[in-house]
Amino acid sequence: MRIDRFIDRFHHFRSISIRMVPILFCTLTGCMVAGGVASSHQAVLTAPIRRLTRAVRVRLDQGANPSTLSRAYFWRVDEEGRIDLVTWVRPGSLDQTIRWVEQMHGRIIAQVHSAHEFEAWIPARIVLRLARKSAVQNIRFPHYAMLRH
């Protein structure tokens, strides 16, 4: 009697697992393919970066000094309206993104090839354009600035 119940459960489990194999296969292969393909999403800028970018642009339009918006241990802005930001990019696109930032009058502070990220003074007028680039994964303030906010 117990063996019959076990066999019935085994057949039930087997029939469920056979139905799940195609779903599992499609899910796993879909994830693997999506990982290698560049997506068209844009990096999401956090609210403080968006607000700071807007405030820097307003100061520049008014002819005021945007560096007065700097906050100790949180974010830094220079007199030319550039914000100190760290940008994380897709593997293989670091050098191309750095060249673009330099062409747009940004100044590179440091780059880490193994982590696919760089720190740079990025002009406020191009922060949104940089975030929309398909190679850019994330834009953030430097960690040392985030420790004591």
Side-chain angles (χ1 to χ4, degrees):
M1 201 65 148
R2 286 184 150 181
I3 294 175
D4 290 338
R5 276 192 240 152
F6 176 73
I7 291 173
D8 287 342
R9 287 184 184 161
F10 178 73
H11 285 297
H12 180 70
F13 175 74
R14 185 171 166 239
S15 67
I16 290 174
S17 63
I18 288 173
R19 290 184 201 132
M20 292 299 291
V21 167
I23 295 169
L24 184 62
F25 177 76
C26 291
T27 303
L28 290 176
T29 55
C31 290
M32 284 188 266
V33 171
V37 176
S39 69
S40 61
H41 87 286
Q42 63 184 31
V44 177
L45 292 176
T46 61
I49 294 176
R50 279 187 278 124
R51 281 193 299 266
L52 180 60
T53 301
R54 195 175 309 122
V56 169
R57 294 181 75 182
V58 167
R59 290 278 172 103
L60 289 171
D61 289 344
Q62 294 172 347
N65 184 358
S67 66
T68 58
L69 295 168
S70 293
R71 279 194 185 174
Y73 309 114
F74 193 56
W75 59 63
R76 299 187 308 165
V77 180
D78 69 1
E79 301 82 24
E80 297 173 27
R82 298 182 297 190
I83 306 169
D84 184 9
L85 296 171
V86 174
T87 305
W88 177 47
V89 298
R90 294 185 189 285
S93 58
L94 182 67
D95 294 330
Q96 179 184 8
T97 308
I98 287 174
R99 279 194 302 274
W100 183 82
V101 169
E102 288 175 334
Q103 287 174 352
M104 302 303 282
H105 306 291
R107 187 171 61 86
I108 305 302
I109 297 169
Q111 51 187 300
V112 182
H113 284 279
S114 60
H116 311 291
E117 65 182 15
F118 63 93
E119 181 179 358
W121 287 101
I122 299 175
R125 62 183 169 75
I126 69 162
V127 171
L128 290 174
R129 288 174 45 197
L130 179 63
R132 289 186 186 122
K133 290 185 132 331
S134 63
V136 175
Q137 296 282 341
N138 188 12
I139 298 175
R140 62 175 173 78
F141 292 116
H143 285 309
Y144 66 84
M146 296 295 282
L147 292 176
R148 296 183 242 164
H149 69 285

